[in-house]
Amino acid sequence: MSLAVDPRAVESLLAFWADAGVDATYADEPVDRLAEGAALLRARSQPPPVVASPRPTLIAGGAHDISVAVAQARAAAAACQDLDALAAAIAAFDGCALKTQGAKQAVFSRGPADAPLMIIGEGPGADEDTQGQPFVGRAGQLLDRMLKAAGLTDRAFITNTVFWRPPGNRTPTPQEQAICAPFLERAIGLVNPKMLMLVGGASAKAMLKRDEGILALRGRWFEWTSADGDQELPALPTLHPAFLLRQPAAKKKAWQDLLTLTERLDRPERPH
Ligand code: URA
């Protein structure tokens, strides 16, 4: 029996997987899964080997101790007097494990250094990893169209909570975000924007230290505070453009969020 396959359905399915981070669908050599399974069964019947490697330091709750990496990031970030120095410090930093998990390069920012708005996404994807700039893939192009429609082109400094592509586009872990946070906070200090737009749940949760999902957080103003308490800024969470590509009906909500944001951004400041 032969099945007629609609090429548009195939294209749409591939686009769905690409959005989900699956960007390789074949290997160079055929894989014999039956032989793999048989080898696995044989291995399971053997007693496990005794491995005498040092154990990673664990802290309460089972998470790896990231305090050394955070302290190193904080020292490196504090030494940077401008964004070029910060970009170089990020690229040279070895404390975030994402750097060694297949990322091609560090991805820091794009946009004017004195932008009144800072947009913070989750982390670089495949296109960003290749091009070295945040939000340049399909989701980024949608973000740019939305910013243009809202009159925000060239008024936003765009970056992410982590600076290396998580493997397979998985969500960055809170530990990875915490290690990169000192660099992000330094970027906020150097750009000195009037407000932040937090794009997607992983960004909103990390920046605001909240547990709710993005659908509960979006469209509401929060106060972002830096770890040392010295910086405070209004922050508006919104839906991630990658989500909007999958759920176009949600664009209306994202547009409402952008209007909420521009209204505050363009509100004349009251004289002190
Ligand atoms: N998604 C993000 O959160 N950031 C990017 O830079 C690209 C896609």
Side-chain angles (χ1 to χ4, degrees), residues 66-79 89 92-96 178-179 182-183:
I66 57 168
S67 57
V68 174
V70 172
Q72 286 169 349
R74 198 171 291 136
F93 182 66
D94 291 329
C96 180
I179 290 169
F183 293 113

Side-chain angles (χ1 to χ4, degrees), residues 168-189:
N169 286 5
R170 66 161 169 75
T171 304
T173 64
Q175 288 80 15
E176 290 156 356
Q177 290 175 313
I179 290 169
C180 293
F183 293 113
L184 182 54
E185 291 201 357
R186 187 73 187 123
I188 296 172

Side-chain angles (χ1 to χ4, degrees), residues 183-237:
F183 293 113
L184 182 54
E185 291 201 357
R186 187 73 187 123
I188 296 172
L190 289 168
V191 175
N192 195 21
K194 281 168 77 175
M195 59 193 61
L196 308 176
M197 186 163 89
L198 309 176
V199 170
S203 168
K205 287 183 193 183
M207 296 299 289
L208 302 175
K209 315 264 182 293
R210 300 193 59 121
D211 288 332
E212 300 101 306
I214 188 64
L215 289 172
L217 295 173
R218 64 149 280 272
R220 296 157 55 198
W221 286 107
F222 293 87
E223 198 70 11
W224 168 80
T225 311
S226 61
D228 59 10
D230 283 356
Q231 304 182 75
E232 276 187 0
L233 282 176
L236 187 80

Side-chain angles (χ1 to χ4, degrees), residues 90-108:
I90 291 171
F93 182 66
D94 291 329
C96 180
L98 288 175
K99 188 174 183 177
T100 58
Q101 292 174 10
K104 293 193 179 91
Q105 58 184 318
V107 177
F108 175 38

Side-chain angles (χ1 to χ4, degrees), residues 22-95:
V22 180
D23 52 14
T25 53
Y26 57 87
D28 289 341
E29 300 294 333
V31 178
D32 183 347
R33 301 285 176 207
L34 291 175
E36 270 184 359
L40 212 61
L41 282 177
R42 274 197 305 279
R44 277 203 193 134
S45 61
Q46 308 285 325
V50 181
V51 182
S53 61
R55 290 161 63 101
T57 317
L58 294 182
I59 55 175
H64 290 278
D65 184 353
I66 57 168
S67 57
V68 174
V70 172
Q72 286 169 349
R74 198 171 291 136
C80 297
Q81 299 309 315
D82 58 38
L83 290 169
D84 286 344
L86 189 59
I90 291 171
F93 182 66
D94 291 329

Side-chain angles (χ1 to χ4, degrees), residues 107 120-125 128 133-137 139-140 158-160 199 240 242:
V107 177
I120 302 173
E122 300 183 2
E128 291 75 21
Q133 288 201 317
F135 280 105
V136 291
I158 302 176
T159 186
N160 280 302
V199 170
H240 197 288

